[in-house]
Amino acid sequence: MFLKSLTATVFVAALIWADSPTHTPTLTGKAAFTDYSQQKPGTRRKLTVADLPEPYATPSVDNGPNGTTNMIARPKDAWPQVPTGFKVELYAADLGNPRLLRTAPNGDLFLADSEAGKILVFRGVSTDGKAGQTEVFATGLAQPFGIAFYPPGPNPKWIYVGNTDSIVRFPYQNGDLKARGAAEKLADIPGGGRLRGGGHWTRDVVFSQDGARMFVSVGSHSNVDDSDTHPEEYHRADVLQFTPEGKFEKVYAYGIRNCVGEAINPITGALWCSTNERDALGDNLVPDYITHVEEGGFYGWPWYYMGGRQDPRHAGKHPELKSKVLTPDVLLQPHFASLEMLFYNGAQFPAEYKGDVFAAEHGSWNRQKRAGYEVIRAPLANGQATGEYDDFLTGFVTADGRVWGRPVGVAVAKDGSLFVSDDGSKSIWHVIYTGGK
């Protein structure tokens, strides 16, 4: 009788636990490392520097999602998975190369279609959950990615776009669905990708809260080339600071291999980055990360990585920098390919989500067992990271390991719901909190 009672109690407790959108047990140590088969909405993990293996503890592998065998069309029964109380709708489909998303102050959703060199804008939600209106805002851009409204606040006058090799802006008023003028080039920046000499090509752009500084992220040209001897790495793996008019002021932070997504913490005012770290040191090195970015801060690339650990490919180089390496706030799975991030400022999700980070994880290529292909949530307390993160939006990989979706961008709608762009299925997904209704 006692055993039956105990079993029932445990079962009920498990149901209550599973029904909660948060407050799951935190996986730590070796258990915190994961692959797609273990990623479930609500699962919480925390990695620390002490958990990292030695370089080459496992072989380096090429296990990317691309190609006819691994990247597939979305199966009919496949759908993104979310925690209890949330639902997912397909907002837009059959897009070209949907990348970064940003929400305008009036609620319009702006999307960088990078391969096509254009910016799209979506307005409203129709009765079937699809976008109410879709327009092409601007064309003729060079692998656009970053989108920012200036000045910060409810009435911007400009939209800034981060091309792979320049920063441009368009005159803008709330509600514009078409650019009201030609692009004005403000600054040249080091270009990347197949259009501009190789290497990381995404360039995000954000403004400080007071609008006085413009931060532009520029990823490295290589995986781990010594920037002392490779001139193509000049002003790369950096966050660059400009005036809003495009005058270069300084390197704001350096040694950040690829700060793909930038955001300003609304509580502290600090710049944050979602970062792709280096490859080819094994399955569980080096973790991607999300972190606040300190002015003048050094984040290790290419000679070191978190905790002042030296990359063995640069043994003995720059010993004077070892003590300067900053450890990021939230260590993610290695090779996650962490892309756009944001701070949740909406009112639709439960109150405990307020101020937390959401970030899109595009998915690994340099890992024996794939990881990523999801959106994560990193909880914050008074604007400070706890070091943990949760799986939030998963299900983009089939049980046999084939990939059908790859999250890239995240944006909060005016009503507090969440939009996610996916360049695998060429879609935009809409995550809505219903409270189980």
Side-chain angles (χ1 to χ4, degrees):
M1 185 69 181
F2 174 76
L3 182 59
K4 286 184 178 180
S5 176
L6 180 60
T7 301
T9 300
V10 171
F11 178 71
V12 171
L15 286 177
I16 294 171
W17 195 268
D19 190 57
S20 174
T22 57
H23 305 303
T24 61
T26 301
L27 300 176
T28 60
K30 291 183 179 180
F33 290 102
T34 188
D35 63 71
Y36 74 92
S37 67
Q38 301 166 320
Q39 293 171 185
K40 305 295 181 186
T43 301
R44 178 164 290 187
R45 295 180 175 84
K46 183 175 183 178
L47 284 169
T48 70
V49 171
D51 301 324
L52 303 185
E54 291 300 310
Y56 310 120
T58 59
S60 178
V61 298
D62 186 345
N63 186 30
N66 297 321
T68 57
T69 58
N70 294 332
M71 194 74 201
I72 61 172
R74 179 172 64 86
K76 290 183 179 180
D77 60 347
W79 202 257
Q81 302 300 303
V82 283
T84 300
F86 293 84
K87 71 174 182 177
V88 182
E89 295 181 345
L90 183 59
Y91 182 71
D94 301 319
L95 300 173
N97 181 224
R99 302 288 288 180
L100 179 138
L101 290 168
R102 288 266 155 79
T103 307
N106 75 326
D108 288 341
L109 186 67
F110 280 72
L111 170 75
D113 185 336
S114 300
E115 287 297 315
K118 62 186 179 182
I119 303 294
L120 303 178
V121 57
F122 302 85
R123 176 172 291 174
V125 181
S126 62
T127 55
D128 62 357
K130 302 295 194 297
Q133 186 176 359
T134 304
E135 300 288 346
V136 177
F137 181 82
T139 60
L141 300 164
Q143 286 185 289
F145 188 76
I147 301 170
F149 299 89
Y150 183 83
N155 295 299
K157 303 301 180 186
W158 303 92
I159 288 181
Y160 283 65
V161 176
N163 284 324
T164 192
D165 59 357
S166 65
I167 301 298
V168 301
R169 69 180 180 182
F170 297 90
Y172 174 79
Q173 291 182 12
N174 276 329
D176 285 354
L177 294 172
K178 302 282 186 181
R180 59 177 54 228
E184 176 188 358
K185 183 178 177 180
L186 299 178
D188 289 314
I189 53 178
R194 59 179 178 78
L195 298 181
R196 299 294 187 274
H200 296 115
W201 61 267
T202 58
R203 307 290 182 257
D204 202 2
V205 52
V206 296
F207 292 94
S208 58
Q209 284 181 325
D210 61 5
R213 296 179 291 176
M214 178 170 67
F215 301 113
V216 178
S217 60
V218 181
S220 69
H221 182 271
S222 66
N223 180 42
V224 70
D225 284 350
D226 191 333
S227 53
D228 286 346
T229 56
H230 287 75
E232 64 271 20
E233 295 291 0
Y234 180 70
H235 275 184
R236 300 192 65 161
D238 294 335
V239 174
L240 307 179
Q241 179 180 315
F242 295 81
T243 67
E245 292 72 37
K247 179 184 176 182
F248 174 71
E249 293 186 312
K250 64 179 180 180
V251 174
Y252 183 80
Y254 64 114
I256 304 178
R257 181 174 175 261
N258 190 20
C259 166
V260 183
E262 298 182 304
I264 299 297
N265 187 317
I267 294 178
T268 67
L271 172 69
W272 283 56
C273 272
S274 172
T275 303
N276 293 180
E277 252 292 352
R278 69 205 80 184
D279 299 307
L281 288 179
D283 281 354
N284 290 332
L285 280 181
V286 170
D288 284 1
Y289 59 83
I290 292 169
T291 192
H292 80 286
V293 180
E294 294 189 12
E295 187 170 2
F298 173 56
Y299 289 83
W301 189 91
W303 307 289
Y304 293 90
Y305 56 95
M306 50 203 62
R309 298 185 175 202
Q310 187 144 45
D311 191 304
R313 294 164 290 193
H314 296 299
K317 290 282 290 187
H318 287 293
E320 77 283 2
L321 292 176
K322 180 176 182 178
S323 63
K324 296 183 178 181
V325 181
L326 297 173
T327 299
D329 295 312
V330 185
L331 305 192
L332 307 177
Q333 300 299 313
H335 319 299
F336 244 24
S338 195
L339 301 187
E340 189 179 1
M341 64 164 290
L342 58 79
F343 293 92
Y344 182 76
N345 60 355
Q348 187 191 93
F349 288 9
E352 60 200 271
Y353 286 81
K354 191 78 170 182
D356 288 354
V357 166
F358 284 91
E361 310 305 320
H362 201 220
S364 65
W365 72 268
N366 188 222
R367 212 165 189 269
Q368 185 175 8
K369 293 185 177 181
R370 293 189 185 90
Y373 313 99
E374 65 169 330
V375 172
I376 64 166
R377 168 203 173 200
L380 271 65
N382 298 318
Q384 306 298 322
T386 66
E388 302 164 313
Y389 79 86
D390 298 351
D391 300 326
F392 180 75
L393 182 72
T394 68
F396 294 97
V397 184
T398 63
D400 60 356
R402 294 189 293 174
V403 177
W404 63 264
R406 306 195 74 188
V408 177
V410 285
V412 178
K414 200 164 187 180
D415 68 356
S417 56
L418 187 73
F419 288 108
V420 177
S421 64
D422 162 14
D423 69 356
S425 68
K426 303 184 184 306
S427 306
I428 298 175
W429 301 96
H430 192 189
V431 182
I432 303 162
Y433 184 69
T434 66
K437 296 178 182 178

